[in-house]
Amino acid sequence: MLSRNNIVRVSGWCYLLTILTSILLLVSCVPSTLNTSGSTRVQASDGYAEIKAIEKDLSTSGEPVTAEMLIEKSSTFIKTHPKYKQVDEVYYILGSTLVQFNRTEEGISVLDELIRYYPLAPSVGESLLTLGLAYDKVSKHDKADEVYRKLVNNSKYNGSKLTEAAQQLLEADKTDRKGALQGLSDSSNSPNFVGQPALDFQVKDLDGKPLSLEKLKGQVVLLDFWATWCPPCKAEMPNVKRTYQKYKNQKFEIIGISLDSGKAPLEDYIEKEGITWPQYYDNSRQISNMYQVRAIPSTFLIDADGIIRQTNLRGNALETAVAQLVQENMTR
């Protein structure tokens, strides 16, 4: 039978044991929590890198299966990592991919969510223009106008190509707005270059090399007016890249005429996308004025004799037209 002193002694040991056990549990929990947190950060970074890799693959292949994978990965990332520093970029990738692959209403919802939840994020300007174009694509022109006005009236984007494009869209006839930046001008007032000799120019490309149509006589040439700030231009890029890869060794060349606001975004995009055909930064609008380009993307397909055969080709129509002229040229 325990005496009072023994009971007190045992109670004291029990209390001490409880405290020691609690301390051990606390210490053992600390590394576990840190590992979990570190693991989450690593997973977010890895997930973002994977999404960017799939986006790059899609820009080259244009395959619907790749698009679906990108959509799925981006959707999961946004739900899992809503506070990741570049989550706004993932939102934009998801929204623009949905719009590009004709899941427009879903894309609208994603882009609208990005603009509401992350109003100061870097991707908002581009997202506003893409959202407006998406509304135009489904003939919700009044909604598109609201978005374009938000862009035009935001002092953050004053003087940018984004506001210039939005203003052009606001001034265009709504019936002409189909969800792209091209084809906004009245066709009756647009110059008809088809069947005419292509106007030559003497400039230097981004690498400082001489660039002219005269030097490319005997080859089929695609003159491509575009910019990195133009969502439809970037949406069309997989088709352009695919066509170039298929025919670049068959006397076919592309000349990119960039209407970017500066060289830096152009050079970054070219490096990221692995674009290898010559590019000219048309900051003075020398060539775009020569060809009276009013909207982009705008293309001129020129045959081996220097005659413009077709203009503003998109998607499969571009590859078909290039294939026809290449074959015609090779059999001569």
Side-chain angles (χ1 to χ4, degrees):
M1 186 172 181
L2 293 172
S3 66
R4 176 181 292 276
N5 288 338
N6 288 335
I7 290 173
V8 170
R9 192 177 294 113
V10 170
S11 298
W13 278 109
C14 288
Y15 178 70
L16 180 61
L17 182 62
T18 301
I19 292 174
L20 287 171
T21 301
S22 299
I23 292 172
L24 287 172
L25 285 173
L26 180 61
V27 170
S28 66
C29 285
V30 170
S32 174
T33 303
L34 289 175
N35 287 339
T36 302
S37 176
S39 175
T40 300
R41 284 195 292 270
V42 170
Q43 287 174 4
S45 177
D46 289 347
Y48 172 75
E50 183 182 16
I51 287 167
K52 294 295 289 181
I54 298 171
E55 181 193 22
K56 184 174 182 179
D57 184 30
L58 179 62
S59 73
T60 304
S61 68
E63 292 292 336
V65 174
T66 307
E68 287 300 324
M69 184 188 304
L70 182 59
I71 289 168
E72 181 184 349
K73 294 284 185 182
S74 300
S75 299
T76 302
F77 185 93
I78 288 168
K79 292 175 184 175
T80 310
H81 309 291
K83 295 184 178 180
Y84 187 68
K85 61 181 179 179
Q86 288 160 307
V87 71
D88 66 293
E89 188 179 350
V90 179
Y91 261 102
Y92 178 71
I93 290 169
L94 174 58
S96 58
T97 302
L98 286 165
V99 173
Q100 180 184 346
F101 285 84
N102 297 318
R103 292 168 60 176
T104 310
E105 293 290 355
E106 294 174 74
I108 286 172
S109 178
V110 170
L111 293 167
D112 184 62
E113 192 171 298
L114 161 60
I115 293 161
R116 281 189 290 113
Y117 292 167
Y118 306 89
L120 302 178
S123 299
V124 167
E126 199 170 14
S127 297
L128 281 166
L129 183 58
T130 304
L131 178 59
L133 292 168
Y135 277 129
D136 276 335
K137 190 174 182 179
V138 292
S139 299
K140 295 182 178 179
H141 303 303
D142 290 339
K143 285 279 191 181
D145 284 350
E146 291 177 20
V147 177
Y148 296 143
R149 288 192 191 100
K150 282 183 183 178
L151 189 52
V152 169
N153 295 330
N154 191 325
S155 59
K156 180 180 178 181
Y157 306 108
N158 277 353
S160 72
K161 292 298 177 182
L162 292 170
T163 55
E164 186 179 310
Q167 188 62 49
Q168 181 187 21
L169 288 156
L170 284 168
E171 293 170 359
D173 189 324
K174 291 181 181 181
T175 58
D176 289 336
R177 288 170 16 192
K178 308 295 183 183
L181 293 178
Q182 75 273 12
L184 297 178
S185 302
D186 183 356
S187 59
S188 63
N189 295 324
S190 298
N192 182 16
F193 285 98
V194 176
Q196 297 181 20
L199 302 173
D200 197 18
F201 44 81
Q202 305 287 331
V203 296
K204 290 185 178 180
D205 66 15
L206 288 180
D207 295 325
K209 297 176 182 177
L211 186 63
S212 70
L213 291 175
E214 182 62 33
K215 286 195 169 190
L216 295 173
K217 275 283 183 72
Q219 298 188 52
V220 176
V221 178
L222 180 71
L223 201 56
D224 182 19
F225 294 85
W226 71 293
T228 61
W229 53 261
C230 163
C233 299
K234 292 180 8 181
E236 183 61 25
M237 190 57 72
N239 298 320
V240 180
K241 291 174 75 172
R242 186 167 55 248
T243 302
Y244 184 69
Q245 288 300 320
K246 193 168 183 178
Y247 297 104
K248 66 179 181 178
N249 296 321
Q250 300 180 50
K251 294 188 176 182
F252 171 65
E253 186 59 278
I254 299 175
I255 297 178
I257 307 296
S258 165
L259 303 183
D260 275 283
S261 302
K263 276 189 179 180
L266 171 62
E267 291 172 337
D268 289 346
Y269 184 83
I270 288 171
E271 182 179 1
K272 184 182 77 171
E273 295 298 325
I275 296 171
T276 56
W277 57 84
Q279 297 284 338
Y280 175 68
Y281 172 48
D282 196 21
N283 61 323
S284 66
R285 300 296 184 266
Q286 173 188 346
I287 303 177
S288 54
N289 287 339
M290 184 185 296
Y291 280 83
Q292 300 182 43
V293 172
R294 300 190 179 112
I296 55 175
S298 184
T299 57
F300 298 79
L301 185 61
I302 305 165
D303 68 17
D305 293 321
I307 304 299
I308 297 173
R309 297 286 289 270
Q310 294 195 57
T311 60
N312 294 326
L313 294 160
R314 303 282 179 270
N316 293 331
L318 171 62
E319 184 174 337
T320 301
V322 169
Q324 181 180 341
L325 284 189
V326 165
Q327 181 62 33
E328 177 184 304
N329 191 34
M330 297 293 281
T331 56
R332 294 200 318 172

